[in-house]
């Protein structure tokens, strides 16, 4: 194996699997180490947001997700009564997709294996040491301990990341002060609404249907505000909490999974330290408000994948990887700020707190621009990377799925994992950061308000705008 092109990934969750496929698309050799011998049947995450669906579309793999998921035209901020209307978003996917993480992982693993990633289940990274030409990783496998040499190691191994700890990367933040809980159960008399939520002085509760005749309750109560770990959730406790909040147990029985989660919020001090990088929960930890964690992690991988592949191919200098931290660390910080704010609102059980929730909920209903801004942030569509001061306003922003006059769409052009040059007016600006560029000549099928006056634009493999030339 060519060590210089080899990338080792710790963790075969959604983030590690998407990164593995992206690296393979870019020509890297990839090994993924996963301690679990089989995928977990339980699903922490349920929501795939619009920007993640766009990322999947830009690699031609979105259809299986759409076929299995439930499309919900709205989202929520802090479980407020008035929901965010996703129909107004500039995307082919103006909805959240309800799909259990177990299925998301299965589809992503199929994609990664099909791309040629070496996924080793039952293999756990136990330590690593960086040297001038690469990283030597220590691994515990079913047949015993062994070592792996790689050019880079990426930790996609969760909040308790072994990679992060072995690299000595700090993970500062706050401890848990609130504990949420969830239970996947069978209901004999489920709520009559697909999206059921309630907020009262006694607590907040959401109920969503899952495949197989199962429903998930997710909730929190005033007594859940504590720093100490409350212990494992029992079925009797779950039933009592649901009855106390709603007055009904909905005929719950046959618990499939019971769990608790806290609002500890932490972020890695750096997403890159030499030849070690972090993505997903290994880089940021937060309360699962809005169901955005999996999505931000996959988008971390989309940002990192093409850059790391270019570096190991020798087509870009190692300094390109510094831009991964520079671009994604602020996104993680914004994610933590948003989820902390939502947690404060969700656990505002007092009369004053409930009044605040009512006022903000009313603003979502009455002020379309406020609702749209929250929806763009929650969906991931508003993420924009900082550009130099004199750059075109589109630089760093995510490019929408522009429709071109010959019937081609931008996301289809991105499926090769290369930069795309859109030459909309024949100006011919073909230079860019990579010689491996897909060039498309021809105008837009119809004007787009944000793209008025654009002659050419270079789009990065992750769908963000690298450079813009005005029409002449």
């Amino acid at each position: 194996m060519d060590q210089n092109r080899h990338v080792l990934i710790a963790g075969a969750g959604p983030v590690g699997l998407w990164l593995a496929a992206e690296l393979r698309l870019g020509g890297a050799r990839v090994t993924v180490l996963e301690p679990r011998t089989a995928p977990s049947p339980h699903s922490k995450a349920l929501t795939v947001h619009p920007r993640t669906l766009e990322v999947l579309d830009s690699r031609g793999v979105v259809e299986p997700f759409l076929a299995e998921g439930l499309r919900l035209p709205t989202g929520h901020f802090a479980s407020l009564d008035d929901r965010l209307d996703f129909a107004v978003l500039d995307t082919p996917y103006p909805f959240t997709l309800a799909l259990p993480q177990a299925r998301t992982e299965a589809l992503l693993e199929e994609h990664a294996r099909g791309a040629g990633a070496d996924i080793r289940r039952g293999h756990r990274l136990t330590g690593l040491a960086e040297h001038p030409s690469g990283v030597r990783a220590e691994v515990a496998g079913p047949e015993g301990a062994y070592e792996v040499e790689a050019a880079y190691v990426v930790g996609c191994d969760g909040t308790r990341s072994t990679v992060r700890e072995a690299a000595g990367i700090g993970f500062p933040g706050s401890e848990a002060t609130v504990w949420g809980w969830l239970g996947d159960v069978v209901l004999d008399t489920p709520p009559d609404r697909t999206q059921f939520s309630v907020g009262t002085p006694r607590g907040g509760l959401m109920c969503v249907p899952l495949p197989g005749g199962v429903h998930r309750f997710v909730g929190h109560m005033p007594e859940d505000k504590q720093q100490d770990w409350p212990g494992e959730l029992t079925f009797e406790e779950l039933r009592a909490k649901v009855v106390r909040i709603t007055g009904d147990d909905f005929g719950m029985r046959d618990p499939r999974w019971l769990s608790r989660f806290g609002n500890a919020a932490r972020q890695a001090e750096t997403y890159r330290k030499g030849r070690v990088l972090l993505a997903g929960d290994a880089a940021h930890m937060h309360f699962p408000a809005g169901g955005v964690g999996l999505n931000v992690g996959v988008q971390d991988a989309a940002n990192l994948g093409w850059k790391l592949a270019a570096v190991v191919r020798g087509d870009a200098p190692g300094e390109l990887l510094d831009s991964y931290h520079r671009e994604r660390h602020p996104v993680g910080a914004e994610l933590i700020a948003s989820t902390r704010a939502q947690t404060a609102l969700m656990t505002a059980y007092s009369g004053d707190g409930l009044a605040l929730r009512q006022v903000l909920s009313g603003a979502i209903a009455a002020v379309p621009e406020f609702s749209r801004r929250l929806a763009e942030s929650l969906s991931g569509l508003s993420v924009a990377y900082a550009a130099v001061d004199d750059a075109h306003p589109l630089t760093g922003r995510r490019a929408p799925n522009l429709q071109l006059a010959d019937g081609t769409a931008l996301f289809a052009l991105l499926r090769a994992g290369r930069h795309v040059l859109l030459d909309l007016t024949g100006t011919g600006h073909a230079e860019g950061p990579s010689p491996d560029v897909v060039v498309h000549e021809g105008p837009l099928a119809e004007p787009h308000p944000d793209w008025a006056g654009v002659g050419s634009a270079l789009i990065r493999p992750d769908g963000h705008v690298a450079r813009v030339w005005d029409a002449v």
Side-chain angles (χ1 to χ4, degrees):
M1 178 178 291
D2 183 356
Q3 174 191 322
N4 293 330
R5 283 196 172 211
H6 185 208
V7 178
L8 183 65
I9 298 173
V15 179
L17 293 169
W18 187 253
L19 178 61
E22 288 291 277
L23 288 168
R24 288 294 301 140
L25 182 64
R29 298 179 183 272
V30 182
T31 301
V32 184
L33 304 176
E34 172 53 57
R36 299 174 299 173
T37 57
S40 172
H42 306 305
S43 297
K44 291 187 295 183
L46 296 177
T47 305
V48 184
H49 277 289
R51 179 53 188 157
T52 304
L53 294 172
E54 291 188 346
V55 169
L56 297 173
D57 188 355
S58 71
R59 298 298 182 261
V61 296
V62 73
E63 290 302 328
F65 294 83
L66 297 175
E68 294 194 30
L70 174 66
R71 304 182 190 195
L72 304 176
T74 62
H76 76 86
F77 185 84
S79 299
L80 296 173
D81 291 339
D82 290 286
R83 295 179 66 87
L84 308 174
D85 181 10
F86 279 27
V88 301
L89 299 177
D90 180 17
T91 175
Y93 309 106
F95 48 81
T96 60
L97 193 71
L99 184 66
Q101 181 174 331
R103 284 303 301 151
T104 297
E105 284 194 17
L107 292 170
L108 292 178
E109 180 167 347
E110 180 181 350
H111 174 53
R113 288 189 184 277
D118 177 12
I119 301 173
R120 303 180 184 179
R121 290 197 172 274
H123 295 249
R124 178 170 56 90
L125 186 145
T126 58
L128 56 84
E130 183 175 342
H131 51 81
S133 61
V135 183
R136 180 177 297 107
E138 300 171 0
V139 182
E143 306 300 323
Y146 64 98
E147 293 183 346
V148 175
E149 287 282 349
Y152 290 87
V153 173
V154 186
C156 303
D157 50 346
T159 58
R160 297 182 177 88
S161 171
T162 300
V163 172
R164 188 186 63 237
E165 293 181 4
I169 298 174
F171 200 44
S174 58
E175 299 293 341
T177 57
V178 173
W179 297 94
W181 36 266
L182 68 82
D184 293 347
V185 295
V186 176
L187 301 181
D188 289 331
T189 55
D192 59 4
R193 301 199 308 274
T194 300
Q195 303 170 38
F196 173 83
S197 64
V198 60
T200 76
R202 299 180 298 278
L205 183 72
M206 295 183 65
C207 181
V208 294
L210 303 179
V214 176
H215 282 73
R216 170 169 293 180
F217 284 114
V218 184
H220 44 82
M221 302 178 74
E223 54 264 38
D224 296 320
K225 283 189 170 184
Q226 58 177 301
Q227 293 185 341
D228 295 333
W229 167 246
E232 298 296 333
L233 181 70
T234 67
F235 178 61
E236 292 73 21
E237 183 183 0
L238 173 68
R239 187 201 301 274
K241 287 177 177 294
V242 172
V243 170
R244 184 173 173 190
I245 294 173
T246 68
D248 192 349
D249 73 352
F250 303 96
M252 74 168 66
R253 57 181 172 85
D254 299 338
R256 307 294 173 84
W257 186 39
L258 304 172
S259 183
R260 294 191 199 271
F261 49 91
N263 70 325
R266 298 183 177 279
Q267 187 175 22
E269 290 177 335
T270 180
Y271 285 14
R272 182 200 181 191
K273 186 176 182 182
R275 292 178 176 271
V276 178
L277 301 109
L278 304 174
D281 289 350
H284 37 75
M285 175 183 183
H286 56 91
F287 199 68
V292 296
L294 178 153
N295 297 269
V296 174
V298 168
Q299 291 157 37
D300 286 343
N303 182 290
L304 175 60
W306 68 272
K307 296 174 180 177
L308 185 51
V311 170
V312 299
R313 286 197 314 267
D315 291 340
E319 289 76 19
L320 177 62
L321 298 178
D322 292 334
S323 70
Y324 170 61
H325 169 86
R326 187 167 59 249
E327 293 180 345
R328 294 304 296 178
H329 194 273
V331 176
E334 183 178 344
L335 163 70
I336 290 172
S338 175
T339 53
R340 292 183 72 176
Q342 291 184 70
T343 302
L345 280 170
M346 286 190 290
T347 58
Y349 306 111
S350 68
D352 290 345
L354 293 175
L356 175 61
R357 287 178 56 83
Q358 183 178 8
V359 168
L360 289 177
S361 184
I364 288 174
V367 186
E369 185 54 35
F370 179 53
S371 174
R372 183 187 183 109
R373 181 170 180 178
L374 289 177
E376 288 177 340
S377 176
L378 190 69
S379 66
L381 298 178
S382 65
V383 170
Y385 302 134
V388 295
D389 290 341
D390 60 347
H392 189 280
L394 288 175
T395 305
R397 290 174 55 182
R398 148 244 174 222
N401 192 28
L402 297 169
Q403 304 297 306
L404 302 159
D406 64 357
T408 307
L410 175 60
F411 291 170
L413 294 173
L414 286 167
R415 289 175 184 170
R418 297 155 60 189
H419 284 75
V420 172
L421 178 72
L422 296 178
D423 187 357
L424 303 177
T425 60
T427 51
H429 293 291
E431 66 267 33
S434 168
D436 191 21
V437 176
V438 175
V439 179
H440 184 279
E441 297 182 358
L444 297 176
E446 57 185 38
H448 189 291
D450 293 339
W451 287 68
V454 172
S456 300
L458 186 68
I459 313 300
R460 302 177 351 176
D462 61 2
H464 283 257
V465 179
R467 189 173 177 185
V468 175
W469 294 267
D470 289 329
V472 294

